[in-house]
Coordinates of all heavy atoms in Angstrom, one line a residue:
A30 N 29.2 -2.7 -6.9 CA 27.8 -2.9 -6.8 C 27.3 -4.2 -7.2 O 26.4 -4.7 -6.5 CB 27.1 -1.7 -7.7
L33 N 28.3 -6.6 -4.1 CA 27.5 -6.5 -2.9 C 26.0 -6.3 -3.2 O 25.2 -6.2 -2.3 CB 28.0 -5.2 -2.1 CG 29.4 -5.3 -1.6 CD1 29.7 -3.9 -0.9 CD2 29.6 -6.4 -0.6
Q34 N 25.6 -6.2 -4.5 CA 24.3 -6.0 -4.9 C 23.7 -4.8 -4.1 O 22.7 -4.8 -3.3 CB 23.4 -7.2 -4.4 CG 23.8 -8.5 -5.4 CD 22.9 -9.6 -5.0 OE1 22.3 -9.7 -4.0 NE2 22.9 -10.6 -6.0
I35 N 24.3 -3.6 -4.1 CA 24.1 -2.4 -3.4 C 22.8 -1.9 -3.8 O 22.4 -1.9 -5.0 CB 25.1 -1.4 -3.7 CG1 26.4 -1.8 -3.0 CG2 24.7 0.0 -3.1 CD1 27.6 -0.9 -3.3
K36 N 21.9 -1.5 -2.9 CA 20.6 -1.0 -3.2 C 20.5 0.4 -2.5 O 21.3 0.7 -1.7 CB 19.5 -1.9 -2.5 CG 19.6 -3.4 -3.1 CD 18.6 -4.3 -2.5 CE 18.7 -5.6 -3.1 NZ 20.0 -6.2 -2.9
P37 N 19.5 1.2 -3.0 CA 19.4 2.5 -2.3 C 19.4 2.5 -0.8 O 18.6 1.6 -0.2 CB 18.0 3.2 -2.9 CG 17.9 2.3 -4.2 CD 18.6 0.9 -4.0
D38 N 20.1 3.4 -0.3 CA 20.0 3.5 1.3 C 18.7 3.7 1.8 O 18.0 4.7 1.2 CB 21.1 4.5 1.8 CG 22.4 4.1 1.6 OD1 22.7 2.8 1.5 OD2 23.3 4.9 1.5
N39 N 18.2 3.0 2.7 CA 16.8 3.4 3.3 C 17.0 4.0 4.6 O 18.0 3.7 5.3 CB 15.9 2.0 3.5 CG 15.6 1.4 2.2 OD1 15.4 2.2 1.2 ND2 15.4 0.1 2.1
L163 N 11.7 -5.2 -5.0 CA 11.8 -5.5 -3.6 C 10.7 -5.1 -2.9 O 10.4 -5.7 -1.7 CB 13.1 -4.7 -3.0 CG 14.5 -5.1 -3.4 CD1 15.5 -4.2 -2.9 CD2 14.7 -6.6 -3.0
Y164 N 9.8 -4.2 -3.3 CA 8.7 -3.6 -2.5 C 7.3 -4.1 -3.1 O 6.3 -3.6 -2.7 CB 8.8 -2.1 -2.6 CG 10.0 -1.6 -2.1 CD1 11.0 -1.0 -3.0 CD2 10.4 -1.7 -0.7 CE1 12.3 -0.6 -2.5 CE2 11.6 -1.2 -0.3 CZ 12.5 -0.6 -1.2 OH 13.8 -0.2 -0.6

Side-chain angles (χ1 to χ4, degrees):
L33 293 180
Q34 296 182 341
I35 292 174
K36 300 174 180 65
D38 290 336
N39 292 332
L163 292 173
Y164 305 108

